[in-house]
Amino acid sequence: MPVRKSQSGQVGRGKGFGLGLAVVSAFAFGGSGVAAKPLIEAGLDPLHVVWLRVAGAALVMLPLAVRHRALLRERPALLAGFGLLGVAGVQAFYFASISRIPVGVALLVEYLAPALVLGWVRFVQRRPVTRAAAVGVILAVGGLACVVEVWAGLSFDAFGLLLALGAACCQVGYFVLSDQGSDSGERAPDPLGVIAYGLLVGAAVLTVVARPWNMDWAVLAGTADMDGTPVSAGLLLAWIVLIATVLAYVTGVVSVRRLSPQVAGVVACLEAVVATVLAWFLLGEHLSAPQIVGGAVVLAGAFIAQSSAPAKISVEPVASGGPERELSARGHVA
C-alpha cells in the first residue's frame, strides 16, 4: 500500500506540474499581441513583426533542430505543414488582424478553430459529430456575433475580422494535416523537433513574403507607445521572441506530455482571457459588456467542442489527436 500511495503521489505531482506549465504557456502566448501591437503602431509592418518573432525564435531553437535532424527525412510533410500553417500562416494572419482590430477580438475570432475543425469533420469528411460538439459550435458562433456586434453592422474593420478568421482557418488546416499521419502506426515525432523545424520553415517562408530587408530597422532602436507610456522597442521584441514564442511553445509541449491534449487545450482557453485583460490595461482597448459576455460564450463553445473530442485516436481521426494536435492548437500561437 505505501508503494501505491507513493506512485499515486508522483502521478499527482506530475499532473500538477503539467497544469502549471500549461498555465504558463497560456499566459506567455496571451501576451504576444499586446507586445506586438505597439511595434506595429510605431511603424513596423505586421509581416515584419511576424518575421522578427519567428526568425528570432528559430535561431534560439536551432540547436534542437540539429539534434532532431532525422525528422527532415522521416516527416518532411509534417514539418512543412507546421511551418506553413501552424507558424507562418497563423502568426501572419493574427498580427495583420491586430493592426486593424482589438487584440482580444482577434484572438476570440481565432478561437473559432475548434468549431471549424468539427465543421470539417461533419461536412467535408461526412462523419458524425456528437451533440455536445454541435452545441459548442452554435455557442462559439453566437458568442462571436456578440463580440463583433453584428447588430451595429459590424462595428469593427471587416477586413481585420477576415484576417483573424484566416488565422483560425490556418489552425484548422494544421489540425487536419497533423491527423493524417496519426494512424500510420509510426512512432510519433518529438514535438520539440517539430517546433524547431516548423519555426525554421516558417522563417524561410516569411523571409520571402515579408522581405525584411525593406524593414525600417531604426524602429527597433527607439521606443513604442503603449497607451501613452514609452517602452523600448527592443524590450518588446525580446518579450515576443523569448517569452511569447520560445517559452510559450516549450512549456505548452512539455505540459501536454504530462496532461491529456484535451486538458491542455482547455487550459489554453486562458490565452484569450489573458490577451483581452492585458489589452484592456496596457493598450486601453476596452470591450463593452455584450462583447465580454460574447467572449465568454466563445470560450465556452471552444471548451465544449474541444472536450467533446474522443480521448483516443480512432480510424481517420480529425477532431482528436496526440501531441501533434496540441502543437496545432497553440500555433498562433498569438
Side-chain angles (χ1 to χ4, degrees), residues 211-238:
R211 300 181 179 182
W213 49 86
N214 295 327
M215 180 170 48
D216 186 3
W217 293 90
V219 173
L220 298 178
T223 59
D225 181 79
M226 184 173 281
D227 196 26
T229 302
V231 180
S232 169
L235 181 62
L236 291 174
L237 179 60

Side-chain angles (χ1 to χ4, degrees), residues 46 92-94 96-101 106 109 154-167:
F93 277 115
Y94 174 64
S97 68
I98 66 174
S99 69
R100 307 178 71 100
I101 61 177
V109 173
L154 289 179
S155 59
F156 294 116
D157 186 295
F159 186 59
L161 293 173
L162 286 176
L163 290 171
L165 185 59

Side-chain angles (χ1 to χ4, degrees), residues 40-273:
I40 295 172
E41 294 178 343
L44 289 180
D45 186 272
L47 280 177
H48 289 159
V49 178
V50 175
W51 180 84
L52 287 168
R53 175 185 188 178
V54 175
L59 286 176
V60 174
M61 299 288 283
L62 186 58
L64 283 172
V66 175
R67 179 180 179 182
H68 297 286
R69 55 188 177 276
L71 286 175
L72 287 172
R73 181 183 67 259
E74 298 172 355
R75 304 298 290 271
L78 176 60
L79 301 183
F82 185 70
L84 290 173
L85 298 176
V87 175
V90 173
Q91 305 298 342
F93 277 115
Y94 174 64
F95 276 22
S97 68
I98 66 174
S99 69
R100 307 178 71 100
I101 61 177
V103 171
V105 173
L107 199 53
L108 288 168
V109 173
E110 189 175 333
Y111 262 82
L112 282 177
L116 294 176
V117 169
L118 293 172
W120 173 278
V121 173
R122 179 64 182 88
F123 298 106
V124 177
Q125 292 194 330
R126 298 186 181 278
R127 292 165 48 202
V129 297
T130 64
R131 182 175 300 178
V135 171
V137 171
I138 293 173
L139 285 176
V141 174
L144 182 62
C146 294
V147 170
V148 302
E149 296 181 328
V150 292
W151 55 85
L154 289 179
S155 59
F156 294 116
D157 186 295
F159 186 59
L161 293 173
L162 286 176
L163 290 171
L165 185 59
C169 290
C170 282
Q171 283 196 3
V172 173
Y174 187 68
F175 280 147
V176 176
L177 174 64
S178 63
D179 277 332
Q180 296 307 306
S182 60
D183 59 344
S184 62
E186 300 178 0
R187 182 178 62 87
D190 190 297
L192 292 178
V194 174
I195 288 176
Y197 276 105
L199 289 169
L200 287 172
V201 172
V205 172
L206 289 170
T207 298
V208 176
V209 175
R211 300 181 179 182
W213 49 86
N214 295 327
M215 180 170 48
D216 186 3
W217 293 90
V219 173
L220 298 178
T223 59
D225 181 79
M226 184 173 281
D227 196 26
T229 302
V231 180
S232 169
L235 181 62
L236 291 174
L237 179 60
W239 176 275
I240 293 172
V241 171
L242 299 176
I243 305 299
T245 306
V246 176
L247 177 64
Y249 270 114
V250 172
T251 53
V253 170
V254 175
S255 71
V256 81
R257 288 296 185 91
R258 295 174 178 269
L259 304 170
S260 69
Q262 286 75 21
V263 173
V266 168
V267 177
C269 290
L270 285 174
E271 179 185 339
V273 178

